[in-house]
Amino acid sequence: TAIGANLLEPLHTVTEKDRFGLVTVTIDDELYVIADIGMRMLTPRELARAQGFPDTYLLPKSKTKAVACIGNSVPPIMARVLVEANLSLEAAQA
């Protein structure tokens, strides 16, 4: 539903509707087209990885529920930054 995103940048908002796929890859300025699968949607595990969740993070068995949970999640790095910022603020006010 949108223009592609760079793999080195954070993933855009994950919603319940499949909308993220991997189509081409560039390695050393050489463009590779993934033709055997054409285009595929990212799996829940791939979406979770893109959000920064470790592979040990448990996801619901249902694909729809897993994608919904990932879409409603706070990425671990963002949670860490928010907590650290609030703790720093509290320490400064004490």
Side-chain angles (χ1 to χ4, degrees):
T1 59
I3 302 300
N6 189 318
L7 291 176
L8 300 177
E9 296 174 5
L11 188 65
H12 296 282
T13 302
V14 177
T15 63
E16 291 185 40
K17 183 176 182 181
D18 285 338
R19 61 182 70 229
F20 295 105
L22 186 61
V23 181
T24 62
V25 177
T26 303
I27 301 173
D28 296 328
D29 294 327
E30 179 88 23
L31 179 65
Y32 295 87
V33 177
I34 303 173
D36 62 332
I37 59 172
M39 182 175 149
R40 67 174 177 83
M41 295 297 106
L42 297 178
T43 66
R45 181 56 62 196
E46 290 169 331
L47 290 169
R49 287 179 187 140
Q51 289 286 86
F53 288 93
D55 286 344
T56 56
Y57 192 82
L58 297 178
L59 297 172
K61 300 273 187 222
S62 159
K63 179 182 176 185
T64 302
K65 282 191 175 225
V67 171
C69 287
I70 295 163
N72 290 327
S73 69
V74 176
I77 187 69
M78 183 56 71
R80 180 180 299 116
V81 170
L82 287 170
V83 169
E84 287 173 355
N86 284 314
L87 288 175
S88 296
L89 184 60
E90 282 184 24
Q93 292 175 346

